[in-house]
Amino acid sequence: MNKHGFTLIELLISIALISVCLLLILRVMLMLENINYDPSYASSDEIRRTEIIKNIESDFLTYHLNGLDIIKNDDSTTILFHMDEEKSLTIKNDTLTYNDEAYTLRSDNATYNLCPSYKYLALDNDYYLISLTIPVLINNENTTTIDDLELTYIGLRNEFTNYPPAYSC
Amino acid sequence: MKRGFALLETIVVITFVMVSLLLLYTTFVNMYNNTQRNIGYDDASNIYKMYYLKEYLNLHNLQDLLNDEDIITLSCDNFNFSSCPSLIDSLALNNLYLVKYGLKSYDSEKYSSSFNNYINSLSNHEAYTYRLVGEFLIDNNYHYASIGVMSNE
């Protein structure tokens, strides 16, 4: 046995084994990176998206949505929700403001589409369905709908109910 | 006194490190697969869709459909309102199920693997009779969301 340290063969075997270990670590790190960062959709805004949807939908239920207006401006779109307490949602390229609270997009190259899609469906003589979607674009393209802000409401019609039948920009 | 590690000592230590890393790797791979699998589960907007759908179907005959079956596949034939197909279409629903709460074993071969994965991921902490499970087809991927249904709600 060589008592003066490693021989060349010992060093080569050790380096080979350590390389295998390091490759495994690298693969794990790359996988973890992919979990946290997916550039194909607004992955860094998932939690805020859930927060926005929850806040607006909770208000729909608490204050009873009874109508809405969509107002398009040059650099923003405002949606007025007619409820027991009036609320508004302002969409700008990178920010969405609801109830004086601003939510700025953090994902790379992500912007809000200023042209929301809106659908009104009469379910029967009394009930109706509202679908309102604010698309989130990546590099000006709606690559997927899973990051879009989609709001739904089924309500009971009354004498004050007033929705536009359709909307296009 | 030796002045360095022997080959055997080096190999033993590296083998130990490799086994530890392999265990770590397997754990992370499982975590990664679970995360990927769960991306389409219980999205906030889909949960609200299911909530409104349940409330509306309760006005029709949803309660009459709660029988002893483990899983009931629902369609517009089960309901007596004409706007049902438009409603299902507007909500981007591909399939609708009533699944008994606390279901542990069922004939999984009758259902898609994505549906079975979702059912197996659900917890059963709350005391509902059934859960209304919606299968959404979004960007050619199946997404799922569910909401509890009580009998005599």
Side-chain angles (χ1 to χ4, degrees):
Chain A
M1 188 175 287
N2 186 355
K3 292 185 178 177
H4 298 286
F6 296 116
T7 61
L8 180 61
I9 192 77
E10 285 171 341
L11 267 174
L12 285 175
I13 291 170
S14 305
I15 288 170
L17 287 172
I18 288 168
S19 301
V20 172
C21 295
L22 287 175
L23 275 173
L24 281 172
I25 294 175
L26 184 71
R27 228 180 122 182
V28 171
M29 293 301 171
L30 286 173
M31 278 179 133
L32 290 174
E33 175 72 11
N34 286 337
I35 290 172
N36 290 323
Y37 179 72
D38 185 346
S40 67
Y41 75 108
S43 54
S44 303
D45 291 288
E46 280 177 283
I47 294 169
R48 291 166 74 78
R49 173 183 170 275
T50 302
E51 194 184 335
I52 298 165
I53 291 171
K54 183 184 163 288
N55 287 347
I56 300 175
E57 290 279 7
S58 296
D59 283 349
F60 285 178
L61 288 166
T62 309
Y63 300 112
H64 309 107
L65 183 67
N66 217 10
L68 60 83
D69 286 307
I70 303 173
I71 303 156
K72 177 90 170 70
N73 302 310
D74 288 342
D75 61 348
S76 68
T77 301
T78 301
I79 304 168
L80 299 172
F81 294 117
H82 305 308
M83 302 187 269
D84 298 345
E85 194 176 293
E86 295 278 313
K87 305 262 181 181
S88 71
L89 175 70
T90 304
I91 313 158
K92 289 186 177 172
N93 269 333
D94 62 344
T95 310
L96 197 143
T97 308
Y98 179 71
N99 215 10
D100 296 328
E101 195 165 347
Y103 302 91
T104 304
L105 281 169
R106 289 173 183 171
S107 303
D108 290 344
N109 308 315
T111 51
Y112 288 114
N113 187 342
L114 299 185
C115 191
S117 70
Y118 162 80
K119 188 177 178 184
Y120 174 89
L121 175 70
L123 296 173
D124 52 42
N125 289 334
D126 297 321
Y127 287 88
Y128 58 87
L129 167 78
I130 295 296
S131 295
L132 185 70
T133 306
I134 302 158
V136 174
L137 312 178
I138 302 291
N139 291 321
N140 293 320
E141 200 179 323
N142 198 9
T143 47
T144 173
T145 58
I146 59 167
D147 53 5
D148 293 351
L149 277 129
E150 198 175 357
L151 303 168
T152 307
Y153 183 70
I154 291 181
L156 179 62
R157 200 176 290 116
N158 62 36
E159 55 188 322
F160 303 109
T161 304
N162 183 22
Y163 290 97
Y167 174 79
S168 62
C169 286
Chain B
M1 186 182 160
K2 289 180 187 176
R3 295 182 65 189
F5 294 115
L7 178 61
L8 187 68
E9 289 167 337
T10 314
I11 289 172
V12 167
V13 170
I14 288 176
T15 309
F16 178 75
V17 171
M18 271 189 82
V19 169
S20 309
L21 281 173
L22 272 172
L23 285 172
L24 193 72
Y25 176 74
T26 318
T27 311
F28 276 121
V29 167
N30 285 336
M31 274 173 61
Y32 175 77
N33 289 338
N34 285 339
T35 310
Q36 288 296 96
R37 208 178 62 188
N38 294 352
I39 276 177
Y41 292 175
D42 293 318
D43 177 73
S45 63
N46 290 340
I47 287 178
Y48 278 102
K49 282 181 186 178
M50 294 310 296
Y51 168 78
Y52 286 115
L53 183 66
K54 182 195 81 171
E55 293 294 305
Y56 190 67
L57 294 181
N58 263 334
L59 297 171
H60 295 83
N61 51 332
L62 181 68
Q63 288 292 321
D64 301 340
L65 301 170
L66 307 181
N67 52 34
D68 266 349
E69 283 184 61
D70 288 341
I71 300 177
I72 306 160
T73 306
L74 301 176
S75 73
C76 283
D77 296 337
N78 297 108
F79 302 102
N80 54 358
F81 60 98
S82 59
S83 58
C84 177
S86 312
L87 175 62
I88 297 294
D89 185 51
S90 296
L91 298 177
L93 273 166
N94 190 57
N95 274 309
L96 195 59
Y97 305 91
L98 273 171
V99 179
K100 197 176 254 185
Y101 230 87
L103 186 65
K104 287 195 174 93
S105 61
Y106 62 97
D107 189 0
S108 59
E109 287 182 7
K110 283 185 183 173
Y111 306 95
S112 67
S113 59
S114 57
F115 174 79
N116 290 331
N117 285 338
Y118 177 68
I119 295 300
N120 291 329
S121 75
L122 294 170
S123 66
N124 294 300
H125 294 310
E126 291 172 61
Y128 288 100
T129 318
Y130 273 89
R131 47 165 54 99
L132 185 65
V133 178
E135 182 185 74
F136 301 85
L137 186 57
I138 301 168
D139 298 339
N140 293 321
N141 290 312
Y142 291 114
H143 292 233
Y144 293 89
S146 60
I147 193 135
V149 182
M150 291 285 279
S151 56
N152 304 314
E153 200 169 276

